[in-house]
Amino acid sequence: MARFRSEEVGPGDPGPETGGTSSEAAASDTGVDVAPAPGDLAPADLGRALADRQALIKLCLYALDRARSGGVAERLEHGLAGIGVTALRPDGERFDPARHEAGGAVTTDDPALDGVVAETEVIGFADHERLLRAPVVTVYAKRAP
């Protein structure tokens, strides 16, 4: 059996005396250091942090599009919302080509529904007020006479 000196095992690292767990490590500890506040960063570091944030958002959206589990998709969406990235589901709103992408149309006899989003086919996302991806929607169109 190998012997360990105490300085070889850091805080939170599994050690032989604890049976592989440490009383110092919390169950929710991710092992990730908390980033400094944006005001505490040098301009170059801030630029890198913002670029990293954008890359992580892009990766999360990619994973969200491919998630097979509703629970995983919900968790990703919730995590994104926590940093200001919100899902866009414009069902029932008036179609706006500046904010929505038309994926199809469904006819209606109700003139009040003409131009209203009937269904969101692909969820869109916005980072605070900045559109990241427009939602792809099906729009009600008045039936031709």
Side-chain angles (χ1 to χ4, degrees), residues 35-42 45:
D40 296 339
L41 294 174
D45 292 335

Side-chain angles (χ1 to χ4, degrees), residues 81-134:
I83 62 165
V85 178
T86 55
L88 304 175
R89 293 179 180 87
D91 297 5
E93 295 178 15
R94 177 95 14 219
F95 176 75
D96 179 356
R99 295 177 31 230
H100 310 134
E101 182 180 329
V106 60
T107 57
T108 181
D109 292 325
D110 185 350
L113 289 178
D114 188 34
V116 172
V117 174
E119 179 183 17
T120 302
E121 296 175 26
V122 178
I123 301 168
F125 287 90
D127 186 358
H128 299 281
E129 296 299 316
R130 188 172 66 95
L131 184 65
L132 297 175
R133 179 173 79 188

Side-chain angles (χ1 to χ4, degrees), residues 13 21 31 47 50 54-55 60 68 72 75 79 97-98 103 110 126:
D13 290 339
T21 61
L50 291 173
Q54 288 303 105
C60 286
R68 300 255 189 253
V72 169
R75 179 65 184 107
D110 185 350

Side-chain angles (χ1 to χ4, degrees), residues 32-38 40-41 49:
V32 177
D33 292 332
V34 177
D40 296 339
L41 294 174

Side-chain angles (χ1 to χ4, degrees), residues 11-25:
D13 290 339
E17 67 281 347
T18 61
T21 61
S22 170
S23 59
E24 295 177 21

